[in-house]
Amino acid sequence: MIETDVLVIGGGVAGLLAAAKAADEGVEVVIVDRGSGASYQSSGVIDVMGCLPEGEITLSPLEGVTQTIECLPQHPYSVISSERSVADVIKEATKCLLDMASTHEVRFDGNIEKNVILLNTIGSFKITCFYQSTMSGGTLNKLDGASLLVVGFNGLAGFNPRFCASGFKHFASKFNVELRKADGVKLSLPALRDFNLTFIELARMIDKDEFREILAKKLRDETVKGNTSHIALPTLGLRKHYESMRILREETEAEVFELVSPPPSVPAQRLMRALEEGVAEKGVRILRGYKAVGFKSEGRRVMSVILDSGGKHFPAKAGAYILATGKFIGGGLVEEEDKVKEAVFNLPLYDERGKALRGQKIPRLLARSPFPQGGHPLMGCGVKVNAQMKPVVEGEVVYENLFVAGSLISGYSYVREKSGMGVATATGYVAGISAAIYVG
Amino acid sequence: MEEYDVIVIGGGSTGTSVARDCAMRGFKTILFERGDLASGATGACAGMISGGTKYVLQEPEFSAMCTMEVINLSRIAGHIVFRTPIITAILTEEELKLRASFAEKYGALTEKRQASPILVLSPQEARSLEPKLSSKIILAAYFDEMFIDPFRLTVLTALSAKRHGAEIRTYTEVIDILHKDGEVYGVKVRDRLNGKEEEVKGKIIVNATGAWVPEISRMVGVKQTLRLNKGTHVIFDRRITRFGIICQALDGRTVYLFPHETGSILGTTAIDIFTSPDEAEATYDEVEYLISSMEMAVPSVRKARVVRVMCGVRPLIAQWWVPEGDVTRNFKVIDHEERDGVKGLVSVEGGKLVVCRAMAEKITDLVCEKLGREAPCRTHLEPLPGADGKISVEELASKYRVSPQVAGRLASRQGTLAHAILSEARDERDFLSSVCLCESVTEAELRYVIRNEWGVTLDALRRRTRMGMGPCQGFSCGFKAMSVLAEERGIKVDEAFKELENFLAERWKGHFVILRGAQLSEYEMTQAAYACVGSIDVKIGGGDK
């Protein structure tokens, strides 16, 4: 049996931030997490708003937020802004997250006023405004006139440096950035598995001094040979990424940076570990392997949440509950008889425009093309919340001591907007404060 | 302009078999397929090669031909032929009477078919063999049937045709048939990858386009009618049952659930269609019909993970006033000179996968007659590429230091050619990395099929290797394969990403109809990875500076 002031369900970025903020307010917080959710599958950067509703890139995240909430009054950013300036909330929330990360060896660069283009290991790009400082050397605006070397490794699966090099040249020119040169090379290094090496395994190798030394020498040779100004690597390490970056920069005298990668990405593992350490330092307990499967309520109060651990059920009691279970990856939304259902409290669901879902089957919420201009209606579906992040139905609060954070909230599609981490951070922050105030 | 003896239109199992037979009998042959090989009905079937239990009584002669063809296919393509044990689960007394009547006659043929005799099982016996069966079954029958990988069959047949001198042109659409004074003399084609058009001359044109036969014939003013009948399958992520299961559908038809490759396949529906086969697509109702039917016999199928749905169109001979199941599966070779006064045009109606070689033999006999050449058919004797010997998976795995899983899957697709593929990776060990983890497809295999098997699109790579057919449906392999394809074929970056989009769009066709359970998480992963990290949906407007 768990008893605490605030129980956070879900240990992704939204849940961690909610927990951190509530703990900062001086209340006791426990996080229960069924496993690792969508944040572990993210790219490890914090995007706030990358694209406008029509799909165009926005260079200013805040301008993008303003334009988006004009179109989508149910957007979580809009809901937040009913009491305070949304820009202020996002700034405070992201600061809280970035501070926590940086005290645990994951430093970020960038600012909320400006989106940048980062290159990725697929050969294309990612739009974001905050990025881990291992990636800073490679924001596209810094690559004009650069002579770029994309470095792969024999044995490393899923990364083709030659293709990426041509991809970067292509996409850079679309953004009016001319790479003087972009080449790809595969290094053969001892001690690497000769095939099926993963990014994480490579990261662990780079963390090792001996391996890093050999890598530095190889890179120096390549740099001299190609008159290279910038070096892109698929990863810079899991724990000693700054040390590696510094040493490789010194050795090569080139700007060494890390590419963004699709899941499972090393930067995401680093970020999540840093945030977990950050909340733990604030006295928050994280319980892994506990899945919320039900609840008990009296009137408009949640009395307890039923947790499942290895088939055993037991209750967790708290003054306030924060639901940060995400969408389908996180398990916050599930399918039942082809309809979407909120997994723990069976909260009523709404679409991106704020309309209640009335038993539409999932195929009705999908477009006929995989990446349609407006996104799939399904990705905009979730729980509707008020300014305190309390779930509401037809304007009425469902449970007065329940708060929701992250992508479980309806009214936006992070897939289309490139706003997933920003919304998770901002809503987690607000939910954390609201829950703390409620129990305090 | 070069002149061919034979122009084959259609790159399914039939068309490629015709090209192979014609080439083997010494005709200068070219085949045009507007999409990829096996992209029509061939690629949408369950791969069963048999007379099918239901044809034994109705069409004994045709059934005997099917039996013969099972033997022939096992001889020429042994490594892609496999035997699946099947339990027919009987749920009602009425069904029992119906099934009993042919069990005996069917059983009499099993020895000749190299199949096990039918074995009647009590419900307890059946459930001890296959615990997933419902406790409501009243009786069961065990037998087995042979299956083939239809994708590999078609590609290997095309490869064999090429080895005998035929030219195979995929993604090349016939847009017109050249004809004068009641005689065809060639075709006008468009390369769908580069848009180039050209005219190709030929003496005989074989229309082997399945459901598209009437559309091709119309080009020379010939009216041809088929009974076009749509069939939908539901694909599951794993083997739900150990045995194939056959049971009665809700409407009295028969449905089946077969273990298939790494998953299971549930089929099929039969719906007459009256629009172009291009427009045929699986529907939600079909999925529900299939699952609701099968869950009577295998209740857990309801909760099983649906990976995707697919549909194809059967080009049945135009028999009407009978249900689809009673329409003959036999085929008709049409000499349009005789029937419509159009010299040089031959088409084929009806048929099924198992008789593709026999269909080709009949057609090629007619070609021989028309071009005045006597040459015996040898297509049933000569093995297809990779089927010329046995291969030891253990030996393959230890020789090239790959996992038995990778070696086994490769050998099941490529037979003895697996050695050539892995030996190319001897100096490039890197190429042994798996591009597709669901189906154990290495980069070496991809590079091989790009170079040797008309693997010009990601979709084509999928058909040849099963890349992207597993639970993740292209999420983790799509971008990796894209870079390999781009590198091998010298494709520009924007075209490569367009190709990736096409591939994901093709996979999506099997999802938007039905997306359930754990597959929703896979869906969100794909959306997030490709849109949020890969930005493939982003419109680039202003500059970054």
Side-chain angles (χ1 to χ4, degrees):
Chain A
M1 166 100 159
I2 296 163
E3 273 196 84
T4 181
D5 294 333
V6 174
L7 182 79
V8 180
I9 307 164
V13 162
L16 289 168
L17 211 73
K21 199 57 204 163
D24 282 346
E25 303 287 320
V27 299
E28 192 193 356
V29 186
V30 172
I31 298 175
V32 287
D33 192 2
R34 68 164 193 176
S36 58
S39 295
Y40 268 94
Q41 306 292 347
S42 74
S43 55
V45 304
I46 308 295
D47 45 10
V48 169
M49 184 63 71
C51 289
L52 300 173
E54 303 81 44
E56 303 271 346
I57 289 177
T58 175
L59 294 179
S60 160
L62 287 179
E63 179 60 27
V65 169
T66 309
Q67 286 196 36
T68 299
I69 61 184
E70 268 171 32
C71 292
L72 296 169
Q74 294 304 321
H75 198 290
Y77 283 149
S78 172
V79 175
I80 285 170
S81 70
S82 65
E83 290 180 3
R84 299 183 54 203
S85 136
V86 60
D88 289 348
V89 179
I90 297 173
K91 279 178 193 166
E92 282 173 29
T94 47
K95 185 175 184 305
C96 176
L97 178 134
L98 302 183
D99 286 350
M100 201 156 54
S102 73
T103 46
H104 295 90
E105 284 301 306
V106 177
R107 293 193 286 277
F108 275 79
D109 286 321
N111 69 75
I112 191 113
E113 309 293 339
K114 189 168 173 294
N115 271 328
V116 299
I117 306 299
L118 299 174
L119 303 174
N120 64 35
T121 56
I122 296 175
S124 64
F125 61 93
K126 152 107 192 130
I127 314 151
T128 188
C129 57
F130 297 107
Y131 39 93
Q132 299 193 13
S133 52
T134 45
M135 302 167 179
S136 298
T139 60
L140 200 52
N141 53 342
K142 292 184 194 146
L143 293 179
D144 211 13
S147 176
L148 175 67
L149 183 68
V150 186
V151 177
F153 296 85
N154 272 321
L156 180 66
F159 179 57
N160 185 329
R162 290 179 294 262
F163 179 79
C164 284
S166 52
F168 298 159
K169 214 166 167 127
H170 168 80
F171 286 109
S173 74
K174 289 214 161 193
F175 287 104
N176 304 318
V177 170
E178 290 308 321
L179 295 176
R180 190 154 51 83
K181 195 169 90 166
D183 292 322
V185 66
K186 270 193 182 186
L187 302 182
S188 277
L189 293 183
L192 286 184
R193 194 123 56 88
D194 53 0
F195 60 95
N196 274 344
L197 182 78
T198 66
F199 280 42
I200 298 274
E201 286 172 308
L202 176 64
R204 290 205 177 98
M205 291 299 293
I206 294 177
D207 282 347
K208 290 180 185 162
D209 296 341
E210 322 85 77
F211 183 84
R212 191 191 305 117
E213 228 167 82
I214 304 168
L215 173 61
K217 280 198 192 100
K218 278 260 187 187
L219 283 182
R220 191 177 50 209
D221 295 346
E222 292 290 339
T223 311
V224 173
K225 200 164 44 174
N227 203 9
T228 302
S229 64
H230 288 71
I231 296 174
L233 284 164
T235 177
L236 275 168
L238 192 57
R239 286 168 191 275
K240 298 190 178 170
H241 37 290
Y242 295 118
E243 198 180 331
S244 295
M245 185 166 72
R246 182 178 55 75
I247 292 170
L248 295 180
R249 280 182 177 176
E250 280 169 13
E251 281 286 327
T252 60
E253 293 174 16
E255 194 70 39
V256 175
F257 66 94
E258 187 175 44
L259 296 166
V260 175
S261 51
S265 86
V266 177
Q269 318 303 310
R270 286 199 303 249
L271 172 64
M272 293 308 288
R273 200 194 57 223
L275 294 180
E276 283 161 13
E277 283 172 11
V279 297
E281 211 169 68
K282 292 175 194 285
V284 175
R285 273 195 297 155
I286 302 179
L287 302 176
R288 276 273 152 66
Y290 291 81
K291 184 183 175 186
V293 291
F295 70 107
K296 287 211 169 84
S297 64
E298 277 176 22
R300 295 202 170 180
R301 260 184 81 79
V302 175
M303 301 309 289
S304 66
V305 165
I306 317 293
L307 300 175
D308 175 299
S309 175
K312 276 188 227 153
H313 285 193
F314 54 91
K317 283 193 177 178
Y321 302 83
I322 297 174
L323 187 63
T325 44
K327 281 192 153 59
F328 301 104
I329 301 171
L333 294 181
V334 292
E335 171 263 333
E336 197 174 274
E337 292 180 345
D338 285 325
K339 292 165 202 151
V340 202
K341 191 186 153 190
E342 190 280 305
V344 183
F345 298 92
N346 198 12
L347 295 169
L349 298 177
Y350 290 81
D351 69 11
E352 192 168 18
R353 300 265 159 196
K355 278 176 74 178
L357 291 191
R358 296 189 196 284
Q360 290 100 318
K361 293 199 168 181
I362 286 169
R364 297 235 169 224
L365 301 168
L366 299 170
R368 293 179 63 93
S369 69
F371 298 99
Q373 203 184 334
H376 295 290
L378 182 62
M379 288 309 288
C381 293
V383 175
K384 199 177 201 171
V385 291
N386 68 12
Q388 287 83 46
M389 301 290 115
K390 290 185 186 183
V392 291
V393 55
E394 286 169 17
E396 294 280 308
V397 169
V398 187
Y399 299 109
E400 58 184 32
N401 61 339
L402 179 62
F403 303 84
V404 182
S407 66
L408 182 61
I409 297 173
S410 69
Y412 77 112
S413 163
Y414 76 84
V415 167
R416 191 193 62 227
E417 294 175 354
K418 330 302 175 200
S419 62
M421 283 301 185
V423 171
T425 307
T427 56
Y429 183 82
V430 174
I433 296 175
S434 302
I437 291 172
Y438 182 85
V439 297
Chain B
M1 194 161 45
E2 264 193 291
E3 190 178 19
Y4 292 86
D5 294 325
V6 186
I7 295 173
V8 182
I9 313 175
S13 57
T14 310
T16 51
S17 295
V18 173
R20 176 173 183 248
D21 203 342
C22 287
M24 284 173 77
R25 295 202 222 182
F27 294 114
K28 189 171 162 59
T29 305
I30 188 166
L31 178 148
F32 295 105
E33 161 57 50
R34 69 166 193 177
D36 182 27
L37 297 173
S39 58
T42 301
C45 74
M48 191 200 239
I49 45 169
S50 71
T53 50
K54 60 185 180 182
Y55 310 115
V56 173
L57 296 186
Q58 297 162 1
E59 300 175 72
E61 274 175 42
F62 177 61
S63 193
M65 182 204 275
C66 293
T67 300
M68 208 48 226
E69 286 309 304
V70 173
I71 296 163
N72 286 333
L73 287 173
S74 303
R75 183 187 306 121
I76 66 167
H79 69 295
I80 53 168
V81 171
F82 51 97
R83 185 186 296 266
T84 299
I86 295 169
I87 293 175
T88 299
I90 295 165
L91 289 151
T92 64
E93 294 290 340
E94 294 74 38
E95 193 191 352
L96 181 60
K97 281 178 210 150
L98 209 73
R99 301 257 184 212
S101 70
F102 78 69
E104 197 181 330
K105 292 188 190 173
Y106 179 83
L109 288 170
T110 50
E111 195 180 334
K112 202 170 157 197
R113 300 161 69 88
Q114 297 186 331
S116 316
I118 291 182
L119 198 65
V120 176
L121 303 171
S122 71
Q124 292 76 18
E125 285 168 332
R127 276 164 56 78
S128 71
L129 285 171
E130 180 50 73
K132 295 279 175 67
L133 279 172
S134 164
S135 55
K136 293 190 181 121
I137 60 168
I138 60 169
L139 202 67
Y142 169 89
F143 65 110
D144 59 27
E145 283 291 3
M146 304 300 279
F147 288 71
I148 198 164
D149 177 340
F151 298 115
R152 293 302 310 165
L153 172 67
T154 308
V155 170
L156 295 179
T157 304
L159 266 179
S160 169
K162 187 184 169 191
R163 287 183 181 181
H164 285 96
E167 285 175 55
I168 307 290
R169 302 265 292 272
T170 62
Y171 292 96
T172 308
E173 184 169 17
V174 170
I175 51 173
D176 206 1
I177 293 182
L178 309 174
H179 58 109
K180 209 170 86 182
D181 307 328
E183 184 173 357
V184 299
Y185 65 92
V187 291
K188 189 176 180 186
V189 297
R190 180 190 295 131
D191 184 321
R192 291 177 68 205
L193 298 181
N194 63 24
K196 276 188 197 148
E197 292 183 6
E198 65 174 310
E199 291 187 353
V200 177
K201 275 192 178 174
K203 292 174 192 149
I204 303 284
I205 295 175
V206 178
N207 178 4
T209 53
W212 288 269
V213 156
E215 291 184 13
I216 296 290
S217 288
R218 204 173 301 134
M219 291 177 178
V220 282
V222 167
K223 187 170 160 43
Q224 207 166 353
T225 310
L226 293 177
R227 182 166 174 178
L228 298 184
N229 191 267
K230 176 177 69 156
T232 288
H233 284 104
V234 182
I235 320 289
F236 297 90
D237 69 326
R238 68 195 72 186
R239 295 193 164 199
I240 300 167
T241 50
R242 291 192 283 174
F243 290 76
I245 306 294
I246 289 179
C247 74
Q248 206 169 33
L250 293 176
D251 59 356
R253 290 176 63 252
T254 295
V255 290
Y256 51 75
L257 177 70
F258 292 140
H260 185 82
E261 302 281 352
T262 48
S264 302
I265 184 164
L266 169 63
T268 170
T269 58
I271 297 167
D272 289 320
I273 62 163
F274 301 92
T275 46
S276 165
D278 292 335
E279 290 167 38
E281 60 184 33
T283 64
Y284 181 86
D285 287 337
E286 287 178 279
V287 176
E288 265 310 303
Y289 162 83
L290 290 169
I291 292 179
S292 304
S293 295
M294 185 49 72
E295 77 177 323
M296 299 292 175
V298 181
S300 62
V301 78
R302 168 66 60 190
K303 293 276 172 212
R305 177 167 171 179
V306 174
V307 169
R308 66 183 287 104
V309 293
M310 64 172 186
C311 92
V313 179
R314 303 177 183 95
L316 302 179
I317 287 173
Q319 287 179 341
W320 301 99
W321 320 115
V322 289
E324 162 275 338
D326 291 346
V327 177
T328 179
R329 271 3 186 216
N330 209 334
F331 61 90
K332 258 199 283 195
V333 176
I334 314 276
D335 178 353
H336 289 280
E337 180 178 6
E338 206 172 81
R339 201 190 82 166
D340 308 290
V342 178
K343 203 177 164 201
L345 183 65
V346 174
S347 70
V348 58
E349 301 180 349
K352 58 203 256 77
L353 177 68
V354 62
V355 291
C356 62
R357 195 213 58 84
M359 288 161 86
E361 182 176 344
K362 275 255 167 70
I363 292 165
T364 312
D365 286 348
L366 182 62
V367 171
C368 282
E369 192 185 305
K370 290 194 168 291
L371 296 181
R373 177 177 300 179
E374 272 192 41
C377 177
R378 290 183 294 115
T379 54
H380 57 303
L381 302 172
E382 192 178 303
L384 295 178
D388 51 354
K390 289 254 181 272
I391 185 159
S392 155
V393 171
E394 287 95 12
E395 193 191 306
L396 199 64
S398 70
K399 186 167 176 189
Y400 300 99
R401 289 184 289 131
V402 295
S403 72
Q405 164 75 1
V406 164
R409 298 297 293 161
L410 181 64
S412 77
R413 292 187 280 263
Q414 293 285 358
T416 52
L417 292 174
H419 280 288
I421 295 168
L422 291 180
S423 69
E424 269 189 49
R426 253 202 184 136
D427 305 321
E428 289 268 16
R429 294 285 293 165
D430 203 26
F431 287 175
L432 293 175
S433 282
S434 295
V435 174
C436 168
L437 300 163
C438 302
E439 298 285 342
S440 304
V441 182
T442 60
E443 187 173 327
E445 187 180 356
L446 283 190
R447 289 188 188 267
Y448 175 84
V449 303
I450 294 168
R451 291 173 196 171
N452 300 290
E453 297 186 347
W454 306 276
V456 294
T457 62
L458 291 177
D459 216 23
L461 301 189
R462 171 180 67 79
R463 289 198 183 84
R464 283 148 188 73
T465 65
R466 293 190 57 79
M467 167 201 105
M469 288 195 184
C472 95
Q473 289 287 298
F475 152 63
S476 76
C477 62
F479 67 91
K480 299 174 199 165
M482 166 187 71
S483 77
V484 175
L485 183 69
E487 204 167 72
E488 281 285 333
R489 290 182 40 81
I491 297 172
K492 289 203 184 88
V493 173
D494 49 349
E495 286 167 27
F497 276 91
K498 185 80 208 134
E499 181 52 34
L500 178 62
E501 274 181 62
N502 291 343
F503 174 68
L504 294 171
E506 189 286 328
R507 294 283 81 191
W508 183 245
K509 275 189 200 165
H511 299 148
F512 70 79
V513 175
I514 191 78
L515 204 49
R516 288 179 174 161
Q519 208 58 29
L520 279 157
S521 165
E522 213 67 69
Y523 153 79
E524 192 186 347
M525 287 286 275
T526 308
Q527 288 280 308
Y530 284 99
C532 295
V533 182
S535 304
I536 68 168
D537 62 332
V538 171
K539 282 192 280 180
I540 302 174
D544 177 49
K545 287 184 191 177

